[in-house]
Amino acid sequence: MENIYLLMLVALVVLAIADLVVGVSNDAVNFLNSAIGSKAISFKTIMIVASVGIFIGAVFSSGMMEVARKGIFMPGQFYFDEIMIIFMAVMITDILLLDFFNTLGMPTSTTVSIVFELLGAAVVMALIKIGASDTQTLADLSSYINTDKATEIISGIFLSVVIAFTIGALVQWLSRLVFTFEYEKKIKNFGSIFGGICLAAISYFIIFKGMKGTPYYDSFKDILSTQVYAVMAVSFLFWTIFSYLFMKIFKKSILIFVIAVGTFGLALAFSGNDLVNFIGVPMAAYHSYEAWAASGQISTEFSMEVLRDKVPAEPILLFISGAIMVLTLWFSKKAKTVAETEIGLSRQGHGTEKFDPNMLSRALVTGTTKLADTFRVIIPGGMRRKIGRSFNKPDDILIGDKAEEQPAFDMIRAAINLTVAGVLISIATSYKLPLSTTYVTFMVAMGTSLADKAWGRESAVYRVAGVLKVIGGWFFTAFSAFSAAGILTYIIFLGKGPAIAILLIAAIGLLARNYISHKNKETAKADKSGLKKSESKTVQGIILESADNISNVVSRSNKIFSDTFAGLSKQD
């Protein structure tokens, strides 16, 4: 019987490596998109900065099995054989779920997925134990599950989505009001103050969130908690002077430095804190195995009370994990697909829309437009014109291939994205409020897009539909993670070793199929063309094929032209 648990441990290690790959592919969107979308620095430099942040965060991570320690379930209520079944079900579910979202190119939360997987698996195992007991009933489920924590997490999801979107939109609107789209002129005068504010906020975020859990955090934890305003004032003064000298000496915009530091900070926080989502379960399983093997008890009688303590991380494992995450960042094509989704939804200019509009998105856009018209009447005409001038976009809008070379948005918005996301995550961390970094960074980006008027008449219904689908996917993550982990727990409980083997083979098959499917889609996208390629080699054949292409272009253009005028006249 001991051999099966050793084999399960080996399987969990392999699953942890796979989970690191799919996890980074999904979460890379959190810290890459602002820098990539603004094209403030070269792609290679962005990747180097993010890689350094990821590696440092991983190596100095506390590596604690945080969700188990905080009590999503009560480990002392389960025996060793039961906890290994829970961990195996959780890891298989997590890999398949995250890979599914990566293949679709939809960002989701690795934190929410692992929490609800642990919750679902623990609930089913608890129900199995209750069903086998003569003295327990469903009322005893609360002794196995920390329902208060689960409720707190769910409420945190709702709050983070609404607050991040609102704050992002407000800060971006005020920033654009001050700097306008022709910000290069004003940044020379106010850039040092703006840089001081952004860098002070980001540096606080790096220390508070990115370094939390590292051996160095305890040395300045008391200062941060008791002298917050003094620390922020000194930090603002230092970074303001630094920004002034940076622009004077290097003759470069301080926004470039802000974006680089913000990217580093989010990458550091991601790996330092979210690493537990990928390797926390296997590491907890390893320490559970060690404790059980040393106890000499049979697996069905050894209580897992040991998991209430902090689960230490092995330095070599953190080093290997950091290396895997960096390699995934550089070579994962699915990470690029997920990043394209958010950049496409926040893009300032025109382009092909990924999502189709639906009734809900149309209704929201129509209702918001009417509400805006109401407020427009209340605001005095002079003030409206003054505000409008701040949001006038440059006329150098390019089309065709050159449009693809343009940034998706400017450096002001990129800096606001990084700063606001960092501040909100830091505040939530300081108050011990649960939230998802993915949800915060995505919704801040959507809020700044709305404030920047990136969602125009012709694109709003598409962008809103995309945002609604992404948010819907987040709630699907929680539901599917809970359900799938619970089902797999029951299957493994019934089938033991053979069931685990079949599930692992099925998981490998699904991962391979998704990889091939994603690769084929990318190839098809690269080869896609609006017109048929000429197959004829004779002049007459080419003329006939060209005539068909021209006829199709004229017919399609006429329909677009007619629909555009009809839509404008009805504001539909």
Side-chain angles (χ1 to χ4, degrees):
M1 181 61 74
E2 289 187 19
N3 289 336
I4 188 174
Y5 295 119
L6 187 60
L7 291 173
M8 287 174 73
L9 198 60
V10 172
L12 284 170
V13 171
V14 176
L15 290 171
I17 295 172
D19 208 25
L20 279 169
V21 173
V22 296
V24 174
S25 296
N26 192 281
D27 279 4
V29 65
N30 295 350
F31 50 85
L32 289 181
N33 276 8
S34 293
I36 293 175
S38 65
K39 297 189 177 181
I41 46 184
S42 68
F43 182 75
K44 186 176 181 181
T45 304
I46 295 168
M47 295 295 283
I48 292 172
V49 169
S51 298
V52 172
I54 283 178
F55 191 74
I56 293 175
V59 171
F60 292 106
S61 170
S62 63
M64 294 180 297
M65 177 52 184
E66 197 164 339
V67 287
R69 181 174 64 82
K70 287 185 176 180
I72 295 301
F73 60 87
M74 306 299 186
Q77 295 287 343
F78 298 96
Y79 295 114
F80 175 70
D81 63 324
E82 296 164 345
I83 213 76
M84 289 298 285
I85 291 174
I86 289 173
F87 287 159
M88 183 61 70
V90 165
M91 289 303 293
I92 294 174
T93 304
D94 198 53
I95 290 170
L96 293 178
L97 185 64
L98 293 180
D99 187 68
F100 171 74
F101 276 93
N102 292 347
T103 303
L104 294 178
M106 302 280 277
T108 192
S109 170
T110 54
T111 303
V112 170
S113 63
I114 198 76
V115 165
F116 276 89
E117 284 153 6
L118 282 165
L119 190 60
V123 165
V124 170
M125 184 56 70
L127 290 175
I128 291 172
K129 288 171 69 69
I130 291 171
S133 172
D134 295 328
T135 58
Q136 291 185 322
T137 63
L138 279 177
D140 295 302
L141 185 63
S142 59
S143 64
Y144 293 89
I145 307 300
N146 192 337
T147 52
D148 291 339
K149 189 66 178 179
T151 304
E152 187 182 358
I153 290 172
I154 294 170
S155 62
I157 293 172
F158 281 105
L159 286 174
S160 64
V161 168
V162 176
I163 292 173
F165 183 84
T166 305
I167 299 297
L170 179 61
V171 174
Q172 178 61 34
W173 188 84
L174 292 173
S175 300
R176 189 62 71 191
L177 194 64
V178 173
F179 289 101
T180 74
F181 278 95
E182 297 179 355
Y183 59 90
E184 292 87 353
K185 300 172 185 177
K186 292 191 176 183
I187 207 71
K188 293 178 181 178
N189 300 323
F190 304 105
S192 56
I193 297 175
F194 185 76
I197 295 172
C198 292
L199 290 170
I202 292 171
S203 59
Y204 182 79
F205 164 69
I206 290 174
I207 295 171
F208 202 106
K209 181 68 176 173
M211 300 298 288
K212 189 176 183 181
T214 67
Y216 308 103
Y217 179 74
D218 292 336
S219 59
F220 44 77
K221 179 174 65 175
D222 294 335
I223 298 175
L224 281 177
S225 58
T226 59
Q227 303 292 333
V228 176
Y229 297 112
V231 170
M232 291 302 296
V234 172
S235 179
F236 168 71
L237 185 61
F238 170 79
W239 285 118
T240 300
I241 296 171
F242 175 88
S243 301
Y244 177 80
L245 294 175
F246 180 89
M247 291 189 293
K248 284 292 183 182
I249 295 172
F250 295 102
K251 306 297 182 184
K252 297 281 187 181
S253 173
I254 190 60
L255 295 176
I256 296 174
F257 189 78
V258 169
I259 292 168
V261 173
T263 300
F264 171 82
L266 283 176
L268 179 74
F270 154 71
S271 61
N273 292 273
D274 287 3
L275 183 62
V276 295
N277 298 342
F278 314 130
I279 68 170
V281 168
M283 289 182 69
Y286 171 70
H287 288 94
S288 301
Y289 180 84
E290 274 190 327
W292 168 70
S295 69
Q297 293 182 261
I298 60 175
S299 60
T300 55
E301 294 181 0
F302 181 65
S303 172
M304 292 314 302
E305 189 68 27
V306 66
L307 284 184
R308 285 189 175 276
D309 301 327
K310 292 184 179 181
V311 181
E314 308 295 335
I316 186 65
L317 294 180
L318 296 178
F319 185 90
I320 293 171
S321 299
I324 293 172
M325 293 167 83
V326 170
L327 289 173
T328 302
L329 183 67
W330 281 88
F331 296 107
S332 174
K333 294 189 183 302
K334 289 188 178 181
K336 297 179 178 63
T337 304
V338 178
E340 286 172 2
T341 298
E342 183 179 315
I343 292 175
L345 289 172
S346 59
R347 185 181 62 246
Q348 189 71 44
H350 304 280
T352 304
E353 300 294 342
K354 182 176 181 178
F355 299 93
D356 293 325
N358 51 51
M359 289 181 64
L360 183 56
S361 70
R362 293 182 193 279
L364 282 172
V365 171
T366 302
T368 306
T369 302
K370 291 179 179 178
L371 185 64
D373 290 339
T374 303
F375 280 108
R376 193 174 289 113
V377 174
I378 299 172
I379 300 172
M383 186 180 293
R384 281 206 313 270
R385 286 188 290 272
K386 188 175 181 180
I387 293 173
R389 284 194 292 270
S390 297
F391 287 86
N392 286 336
K393 301 179 182 65
D395 294 328
D396 55 344
I397 296 175
L398 304 177
I399 59 173
D401 294 335
K402 290 185 178 180
E404 298 297 325
E405 299 172 7
Q406 282 188 310
F409 41 81
D410 61 19
M411 290 191 287
I412 289 287
R413 193 179 345 153
I416 295 299
N417 284 346
L418 293 165
T419 303
V420 173
V423 168
L424 290 177
I425 294 169
S426 299
I427 292 173
T429 303
S430 65
Y431 285 101
K432 294 183 169 60
L433 296 174
L435 52 71
S436 164
T437 54
T438 302
Y439 294 175
V440 171
T441 52
F442 180 85
M443 292 310 296
V444 166
M446 294 304 102
T448 57
S449 304
L450 177 65
D452 241 2
K453 298 187 177 180
W455 300 354
R457 287 178 182 273
E458 71 285 355
S459 63
V461 288
Y462 300 93
R463 307 283 178 91
V464 172
V467 173
L468 291 175
K469 286 182 180 179
V470 171
I471 294 175
W474 294 346
F475 293 102
F476 174 75
T477 298
F479 172 77
S480 56
F482 182 93
S483 305
I487 292 170
L488 292 190
T489 298
Y490 188 66
I491 291 172
I492 295 173
F493 174 77
L494 293 177
K496 300 296 189 293
I500 293 172
I502 293 171
L503 288 173
L504 288 173
I505 293 170
I508 292 170
L510 288 171
L511 290 173
R513 190 194 70 174
N514 288 344
Y515 173 79
I516 294 170
S517 173
H518 182 267
K519 187 176 180 180
N520 291 338
K521 283 181 182 178
E522 291 299 304
T523 303
K525 192 195 314 183
D527 295 339
K528 190 176 180 180
S529 173
L531 301 174
K532 293 188 296 182
K533 293 182 179 179
S534 178
E535 298 177 355
S536 301
K537 295 183 179 179
T538 64
V539 173
Q540 187 62 31
I542 292 173
I543 290 173
L544 290 173
E545 290 178 0
S546 299
D548 289 337
N549 284 335
I550 292 169
S551 174
N552 289 334
V553 169
V554 171
S555 175
R556 180 65 178 158
S557 299
N558 180 57
K559 186 177 186 306
I560 292 172
F561 187 76
S562 302
D563 289 348
T564 300
F565 269 91
L568 284 172
S569 64
K570 299 175 183 177
Q571 290 199 18
D572 184 1

